[in-house]
Amino acid sequence: MSDNNHHVLAFYSRHPISRDQILAGVRARRGHLDGLEPQDLFAYDQDHYGGLSVVDALADRAHIGSSSQVADFCAGLGGPARYLAHKYGAIVTCIELNPHRAPGAADLTRRVGLAQRVRIVRGDVMRVPLAAQTMDAVISQEALLHVPDKRAALSEAYRVLKRGGHLAFTDWAEHRRLEKADCESMWRGIAAQSVQSFVSYPQMLREIGFRNVTVEDLTADWGRILEARFAMYRQMREENVRLGTPAGDEEFYGSYARLVALVQQGTLGGGRFTAEK
Ligand SMILES: C[S@@+](CC[C@H](N)C(=O)[O-])C[C@H]1O[C@@H](n2cnc3c(N)ncnc32)[C@H](O)[C@@H]1O
């Protein structure tokens, strides 16, 4: 495995959203973990910008309904997959690379009784262990930035989709070319391997063979969410300094500050990309 992959794996192995952190949040609210239902986790298990409403938006764009076969590329702890199974009755296969997150997702799914509808597969979205033309929809959220070869991942989405199936994903995208120093900062801070642009992503999708490609610019929404998150991190950091404990991950903090600035300047943003096979 390359050093790049190690960095992405390490980033998510020490990420603040983990199976244990989700269960700790649920336990603090309910007092115990007996008889958990999917909705008990939803406040904690969505590792993307915008919570459940943006999963609804993806479900809408990808035409997900009852018994749709869905693949979630880079599924994290399985939060969006469980929501799609619970709310829409979809059958979801999660592809997740991280050796802690994949079993964490499976454990959370079992605990809420969704193991029949949500399957967790540890794997790499550049080589998806699913048969061709088996999926009605492929989704992904805030994850392809970590994947070195996005064309390979999107080609895999095309391969596993049935004809007429839909792809809908959100990801970081450039409005203007990022400076090399900013790419390096995003790599060190948030394990972003590379970022496509609002022009290159749709072009890549068409080259792969997708049709009816659409782009929605989510930059303004992401800007507001990032600012709120950054304020929270700043507060946590100041609290740590006040308590005399180490401030922690300086690299992450510095990179996050730069990320907020890049979004506010309009250099970088978020997009929702939709396409049909
Ligand atoms: C920001 S999280 C998103 C999780 C999930 N989509 C959600 O919204 O809750 C990104 C996830 O992508 C996974 N990941 C990164 N590279 C991957 C790859 N090549 N194949 C599969 N998963 C990958 C990471 O381990 C991480 O769990």
Side-chain angles (χ1 to χ4, degrees):
M1 184 175 284
S2 73
D3 282 352
N4 280 13
N5 276 346
H6 275 301
H7 181 52
V8 174
L9 291 177
F11 179 76
Y12 278 102
S13 291
R14 59 165 196 267
H15 196 274
I17 302 180
S18 66
R19 181 200 77 135
D20 292 349
Q21 176 266 340
I22 292 167
L23 291 177
V26 176
R27 190 186 281 111
R29 195 168 67 182
R30 292 170 89 240
H32 60 86
L33 296 176
D34 302 335
L36 284 183
E37 306 218 24
Q39 59 271 30
D40 292 321
L41 307 186
F42 292 151
Y44 309 97
D45 66 356
Q46 308 291 313
D47 185 7
H48 55 259
Y49 302 131
L52 297 178
S53 64
V54 300
V55 187
D56 284 324
L58 277 193
D60 172 65
R61 306 308 185 272
H63 302 251
I64 292 171
S66 175
S67 300
S68 294
Q69 289 283 348
V70 181
D72 185 353
F73 277 22
C74 307
L77 290 150
R82 283 186 294 275
Y83 179 66
L84 291 172
H86 175 69
K87 179 168 175 185
Y88 295 88
I91 299 159
V92 190
T93 304
C94 296
I95 310 295
E96 168 56 42
L97 186 66
N98 187 284
H100 305 290
R101 287 192 145 204
D107 179 54
L108 293 169
T109 302
R110 264 193 312 274
R111 283 172 185 263
V112 299
L114 280 175
Q116 298 301 316
R117 304 196 80 83
V118 177
R119 185 164 69 108
I120 316 293
V121 176
R122 186 172 172 227
D124 191 324
V125 294
M126 295 185 294
R127 288 176 300 278
V128 174
L130 294 178
Q133 302 194 42
T134 48
M135 295 290 134
D136 299 300
V138 174
I139 63 156
S140 183
Q141 286 174 284
E142 276 82 297
L144 294 182
L145 74 153
H146 303 301
V147 176
D149 189 344
K150 297 177 208 332
R151 186 180 291 270
L154 293 172
S155 300
E156 283 293 80
Y158 188 84
R159 183 183 65 78
V160 301
L161 277 172
K162 298 173 188 168
R163 189 150 297 284
H166 293 87
L167 167 72
F169 69 94
T170 49
D171 195 17
W172 287 99
E174 291 173 339
H175 288 288
R176 290 197 297 273
R177 197 66 188 261
L178 287 168
E179 303 285 336
K180 192 162 174 271
D182 287 326
C183 295
E184 287 167 1
S185 160
M186 285 181 70
W187 169 240
R188 289 193 308 270
I190 61 165
Q193 302 255 18
S194 63
V195 181
Q196 290 294 317
S197 78
F198 278 87
V199 175
S200 65
Y201 250 148
Q203 192 178 322
M204 188 184 285
L205 290 168
R206 286 190 201 98
E207 284 167 5
I208 290 168
F210 284 105
R211 57 201 175 98
N212 296 333
V213 177
T214 65
V215 180
E216 294 166 79
D217 186 350
L218 307 176
T219 305
D221 292 345
W222 284 26
R224 281 189 288 276
I225 294 166
L226 275 178
E227 228 177 320
R229 284 197 180 189
F230 189 52
M232 183 184 79
Y233 293 141
R234 197 163 42 220
Q235 199 183 341
M236 287 161 73
R237 193 167 182 258
E238 282 162 9
E239 182 76 355
N240 280 337
V241 171
R242 201 176 56 74
L243 294 171
T245 50
D249 207 332
E250 292 301 313
E251 200 71 81
F252 174 76
Y253 185 82
S255 169
Y256 216 89
R258 185 64 191 144
L259 206 58
V260 175
L262 288 169
V263 173
Q264 286 173 346
Q265 284 164 19
T267 303
L268 187 63
R272 184 185 295 120
F273 303 89
T274 311
E276 186 177 343
K277 176 167 173 180

